[in-house]
Amino acid sequence: MRKNAISKDTTDGPGRRRASRFPARPRIKVGILGCTGIVGQQFVRLLEGHPFFKLVAPSASPRSAGEPYGEVVSWVLDGDVPRSARPLEVLETDIARLLATGARIFFSALPAPIAGPLEKLLRENGCFVFTNASAHRADEDVPILVPEINPEHMSLALTQASRWGGAIVAGPNCATAGLVTTLKPLEEFGLNRVSVTTFQAISGAGRRGLAALDIAGNVIPFIRNEEEKIGRETRKILGRAEQGAVAPLPLEITASCCRVPVREGHLMSIEVEFHEKPDTDRVLSSLNGFRSRPQELGLPTAPERPIILRTEEDRPQPILDAWAGSPERARGMAVTVGRPRFLGRSLQIFALVHNTVRGAAGTCLLNAELAFAERLMPRPGRSNGGAR
Ligand SMILES: NC(=O)c1ccc[n+]([C@@H]2O[C@H](COP(=O)([O-])OP(=O)(O)OC[C@H]3O[C@@H](n4cnc5c(N)ncnc54)[C@H](OP(=O)(O)O)[C@@H]3O)[C@@H](O)[C@H]2O)c1
């Protein structure tokens, strides 16, 4: 435990309190780029009452800018628009306007073509950007970070910060988030080859993503660039960080991706071939017992169990399991796995990930919590960004 850690109660989202290892201090001002989209809304929800961060700079396109958030957003999540966000003016996504708010940490939920140049500009202005967009995931010095899987890759953010003043830390593609979480505890048994077929929810395509006529009662066996992203990103996340870059894991991965008429939650059928036949009990207990750095640190959005192994014959299911994870703040952050079947050297298993929480906003927020807890980002004094 950290030297300055104290045991203290901190607000943990609506109606719930959780013991915190982090001392109360002024919360850090943060912004959300693309605050009106599906992922942006998840950020707004997750930042309500957050113990480290306070939303001061929500931004979106000129279509939404200039209006109070509560009036302009078409809220698609359960419940109402969080109270503290409602009166905030939605800003234009303009560098000068964003910096004028005093925020130096930004969560990005922008379309990739807009995110690319803006995120770089923010980095050059000393900001830390935790992004869902794919624009910089392939950059050598940008980590694709899932705190339970490759927390040591955060060292790349420090390399960036020494060069630019700020850093970009990317979250993975939504399906990749579920795949790497399932694979990490299996790595010790010697991965030889991975094959995955995904059944991905409509919300993965964003608010204006798919025409109802195309997807209602239908399955579309194609998602542009998705299969390539899953292979490339999984190899990078499971790779080794050395000298300011990542050496990807040389693992054969094939993916087939479908869009299905499900609102939220990407289901995937994964086949893992090991070098040798593993002990089946050990494989299952490794999945079920998986814990990592965010759990050790007690980060606010970390699920107590990053993987939940279901034993029923018909789980996981999007409707029943997409919101898996506890405590309350970590709902949707656990990956649910089920139906493990062993055949020779291979394991077949289903996994389910909440695509806009663990697959997007939740992981990016957890990345920021890790950077904060590990003291990698500038901390505010009352004069430089602190906010109660
Ligand atoms: N959905 C997922 O499951 C998922 C998972 C992982 C990663 N991602 C990535 O996360 C990002 C956001 O995805 P999403 O599903 O939330 O998309 P979305 O629902 O389409 O939201 C896009 C957001 O970007 C804003 N925006 C659009 N054009 C803009 C412009 N020219 N200038 C400034 N803001 C602009 C929109 O504002 P207005 O409302 O004002 O138009 C909206 O707030 C994308 O890069 C996506 O690939 C998504």
Side-chain angles (χ1 to χ4, degrees), residues 34 36-39 60-61 63-64 109-111 114 132 203-204 206-207 355 359:
T36 48
I38 295 189
V39 175
S61 80
R63 287 183 288 274
S64 315
L110 291 169
I114 317 268
N132 289 285
S203 53
R207 259 194 75 62
N355 53 297

Side-chain angles (χ1 to χ4, degrees), residues 113-367:
I114 317 268
L118 182 77
E119 291 173 355
K120 272 190 178 174
L121 260 180
L122 286 165
R123 176 174 67 180
E124 284 161 20
N125 280 277
C127 299
F128 273 69
V129 184
F130 296 91
T131 181
N132 289 285
S134 58
H136 297 293
R137 286 186 199 141
D139 295 5
E140 204 179 47
D141 56 356
V142 172
I144 306 177
L145 205 79
V146 182
E148 281 88 349
I149 312 305
N150 58 343
E152 71 282 5
H153 289 198
M154 191 67 96
S155 62
L156 269 64
L158 293 180
T159 310
Q160 288 181 66
S162 63
R163 181 164 179 207
W164 308 102
I168 299 170
V169 175
N173 157 279
C174 38
T176 305
L179 180 62
V180 292
T181 304
T182 310
L183 293 180
K184 185 67 186 176
L186 301 176
E187 242 188 336
E188 62 173 298
F189 302 100
L191 305 176
N192 188 40
R193 193 182 60 81
V194 172
S195 169
V196 59
T197 302
T198 68
F199 308 88
Q200 300 186 211
I202 309 164
S203 53
R207 259 194 75 62
R208 298 184 180 84
L210 284 165
L213 265 182
D214 290 338
I215 192 65
N218 197 16
V219 173
I220 303 171
F222 176 67
I223 304 175
R224 189 169 304 284
N225 298 330
E226 195 78 353
E227 293 162 359
E228 298 82 347
K229 277 186 204 168
I230 289 176
R232 200 171 47 233
E233 294 181 15
T234 299
R235 283 188 282 270
K236 181 169 178 178
I237 294 166
L238 296 178
R240 247 198 353 264
E242 46 193 18
Q243 293 163 0
V246 175
L249 184 73
L251 176 66
E252 186 187 329
I253 302 170
T254 51
S256 303
C257 297
C258 301
R259 189 72 73 192
V260 296
V262 163
R263 199 180 159 93
E264 52 196 8
H266 292 352
L267 183 68
M268 54 194 91
S269 166
I270 304 170
E271 182 182 352
V272 182
E273 185 185 273
F274 299 100
H275 291 297
E276 288 172 16
K277 189 177 184 318
D279 179 292
T280 56
D281 287 343
R282 279 190 55 221
V283 167
L284 297 182
S285 70
S286 182
L287 283 166
N288 207 28
F290 179 58
R291 306 283 186 279
S292 187
R293 190 78 185 128
Q295 287 69 40
E296 281 166 31
L297 288 169
L299 298 179
T301 309
E304 279 154 14
R305 296 159 63 200
I307 295 179
I308 294 175
L309 173 64
R310 305 287 318 198
T311 53
E312 299 89 332
E313 63 184 11
D314 59 355
R315 302 286 279 274
Q317 295 180 26
I319 283 184
L320 300 176
D321 299 307
W323 285 97
S326 61
E328 182 66 21
R329 183 171 284 289
R331 286 185 67 232
M333 288 296 283
V335 172
T336 305
V337 299
R339 299 208 51 227
R341 286 145 291 152
F342 292 89
L343 190 66
R345 288 189 290 144
S346 294
L347 163 70
Q348 282 187 296
I349 195 162
F350 279 95
L352 180 81
V353 60
H354 195 304
N355 53 297
T356 60
V357 184
R358 173 53 91 171
T363 287
C364 284
L365 178 56
L366 198 54
N367 285 340

Side-chain angles (χ1 to χ4, degrees), residues 63-128:
R63 287 183 288 274
S64 315
E67 301 292 328
Y69 186 72
E71 288 178 28
V72 81
V73 68
S74 285
W75 191 251
V76 293
L77 309 183
D78 277 357
D80 293 331
V81 179
R83 187 178 309 177
S84 68
R86 280 181 221 159
L88 296 177
E89 182 192 339
V90 175
L91 308 174
E92 278 205 39
T93 305
D94 163 80
I95 183 86
R97 194 79 180 83
L98 293 167
L99 294 176
T101 62
R104 293 296 178 268
I105 295 174
F106 290 91
F107 296 101
S108 172
L110 291 169
I114 317 268
L118 182 77
E119 291 173 355
K120 272 190 178 174
L121 260 180
L122 286 165
R123 176 174 67 180
E124 284 161 20
N125 280 277
C127 299
F128 273 69

Side-chain angles (χ1 to χ4, degrees), residues 3-5 80 96 178:
K3 226 165 88 195
N4 65 349
D80 293 331

